[in-house]
Amino acid sequence: VQASDGINSDTAVITVNLNNLNDNNPRIDDATTTLDENSVNGTLVYNVNEFYTTNDTDRDGEALTYEIMGGNPGGAFAINASTGQITVANSIMLDYETTPTYSLLVRTHDGYNSDFATITINLNNLNDNLPRIDDATTSLNENSGNGTSVYNVNEFYTTNDTDRDGLLLTYSITGGNTGGAFAINASTGEITVANNLDYETTPTYNLTVQASDSADIDTAVITINVNNTNDISPRIDNAVTTLDENSANGTLVYNVNEFYTTNDTDLDGQHLTYSITGGNTGGAFAINASTGEITTANILDYETTPTFNLTVQASDGTNSDTAVITVNLNNLNDNLPRIDDATTSLAENSANGT
């Protein structure tokens, strides 16, 4: 600055020092970062800094203070109030399947002015969930054709063929598959018939099925009950028996039974119905439709009919079989001799022996 009286002058330097006022708002910007789920407490996530200074003071030189204002369920994260460093605070909360993304609302202030930013934290999905398949029971008719669908195994939580980590499952049967009766689609878990199913041989299968996501596995037992169908004809065999002629009505002659079961049901458990379809001359015999017991029903005379060849049928309602039951009558001494009156003549003095 110069001062002059018109002739003479003088100069001086006037130094003006500006007082720094807090007139600049701090600035922090939105950001996005990623983090593995299940990261341990204390893991560094992101460091929030002032945009203009790239550190923790604003343009006025004011130290900044940081805090998380929202978007932090379960206290999953913490922030260092002085440095803006965000770290894991509750690793249990870092579960991709529960919360794959956190949007933290972070505030910074210099004691007077504030700014806000959203720090988006995307969790990386790790293979940390075991697949789960559950035991199940189903039923299927015996003799079902190969390729018939039996049961579709799915992951419990997803109800499809990926686990909760989104990994594809591979299925296999590891036990209980007697005779290779079943096959499973490795990709879909669909169990189908692969070989003959016979109720009489194996009425129940307990398949051990495994699901793997290439690292972890789970197993389940799929119980398959085979439905018994009427696919086996009854069998009754020819037989020979004897009976006294003149036996009273109702006398037991012979009891017809199924060959395999030795009773009145076939191998399918079907009750049999019996009938005489031939050879029953004069209605000599009757048969109990439920039990197969043959009894006498009319006069039996050896001299008239010494042998009966009864054709007997057994039916399960769908299938039938026949057998010949031969009944030989025993000849009893039941006929009185008969001699009749007669007249003849003879010369006297006939020789002995005449």
Side-chain angles (χ1 to χ4, degrees):
V1 175
Q2 181 184 71
S4 173
D5 59 7
I7 296 175
N8 302 304
S9 65
D10 190 22
T11 60
V13 175
I14 308 303
T15 300
V16 181
N17 293 316
L18 294 183
N19 295 323
N20 187 17
L21 302 181
N22 191 0
D23 62 341
N24 287 287
N25 290 332
R27 174 179 167 185
I28 54 174
D29 286 357
D30 297 341
T32 299
T33 188
T34 59
L35 177 72
D36 286 347
E37 63 176 332
N38 308 319
S39 292
V40 298
N41 289 352
T43 300
L44 176 63
V45 180
Y46 185 76
N47 191 354
V48 181
N49 280 314
E50 216 273 348
F51 172 78
Y52 295 103
T53 66
T54 70
N55 59 31
D56 301 313
T57 57
D58 63 11
R59 287 178 292 171
D60 294 317
E62 302 287 339
L64 300 179
T65 301
Y66 302 92
E67 58 183 326
I68 298 173
M69 303 296 293
N72 193 23
F77 301 97
I79 193 168
N80 185 303
S82 300
T83 66
Q85 209 170 61
I86 299 172
T87 54
V88 176
N90 188 355
S91 63
I92 294 175
M93 295 300 297
L94 302 185
D95 181 23
Y96 177 89
E97 287 68 39
T98 303
T99 310
T101 298
Y102 288 83
S103 295
L104 301 183
L105 179 62
V106 174
R107 176 193 177 203
T108 184
H109 62 98
D110 61 8
Y112 183 74
N113 303 301
S114 298
D115 191 26
F116 296 87
T118 298
I119 308 301
T120 301
I121 303 169
N122 293 317
L123 296 185
N124 297 322
N125 188 17
L126 304 181
N127 188 5
D128 64 335
N129 288 288
L130 297 177
R132 174 178 167 184
I133 55 174
D134 284 0
D135 297 344
T137 299
T138 188
S139 60
L140 179 72
N141 287 341
E142 63 176 333
N143 304 317
S144 294
N146 288 356
T148 301
S149 179
V150 181
Y151 185 77
N152 193 349
V153 181
N154 282 313
E155 216 274 346
F156 173 79
Y157 295 102
T158 66
T159 70
N160 59 33
D161 301 313
T162 56
D163 64 13
R164 286 178 291 171
D165 296 315
L167 296 174
L168 291 173
L169 298 181
T170 301
Y171 300 93
S172 59
I173 298 173
T174 61
N177 194 17
T178 306
F182 301 97
I184 192 168
N185 185 304
S187 299
T188 67
E190 187 175 27
I191 298 172
T192 54
V193 176
N195 210 338
N196 184 55
L197 302 179
D198 181 23
Y199 174 87
E200 287 68 36
T201 303
T202 310
T204 297
Y205 293 83
N206 293 305
L207 300 183
T208 301
V209 175
Q210 175 180 287
S212 170
D213 64 5
S214 76
D216 303 307
I217 63 172
D218 190 30
T219 60
V221 174
I222 309 301
T223 299
I224 302 170
N225 293 317
V226 178
N227 298 325
N228 187 17
T229 60
N230 191 2
D231 64 332
I232 298 179
S233 295
R235 174 179 166 185
I236 54 174
D237 284 0
N238 299 337
V240 177
T241 189
T242 59
L243 179 72
D244 288 345
E245 63 175 333
N246 304 320
S247 293
N249 288 354
T251 301
L252 177 62
V253 180
Y254 185 77
N255 190 352
V256 182
N257 281 314
E258 216 273 347
F259 172 80
Y260 296 103
T261 66
T262 70
N263 59 32
D264 301 314
T265 56
D266 64 13
L267 283 175
D268 294 316
Q270 303 287 330
H271 286 284
L272 299 181
T273 301
Y274 300 93
S275 59
I276 299 173
T277 61
N280 193 17
T281 306
F285 301 96
I287 192 167
N288 186 305
S290 299
T291 67
E293 278 188 349
I294 299 173
T295 54
T296 55
N298 211 336
I299 297 170
L300 302 177
D301 181 21
Y302 177 88
E303 286 69 36
T304 304
T305 310
T307 297
F308 292 83
N309 292 304
L310 302 179
T311 302
V312 175
Q313 181 184 75
S315 171
D316 61 10
T318 301
N319 307 301
S320 65
D321 189 29
T322 59
V324 174
I325 309 301
T326 300
V327 182
N328 293 316
L329 296 186
N330 296 322
N331 189 16
L332 303 182
N333 189 2
D334 63 336
N335 289 288
L336 295 175
R338 174 179 172 185
I339 53 174
D340 287 352
D341 297 340
T343 300
T344 189
S345 61
L346 180 72
E348 63 178 328
N349 303 318
S350 293
N352 289 351
T354 298

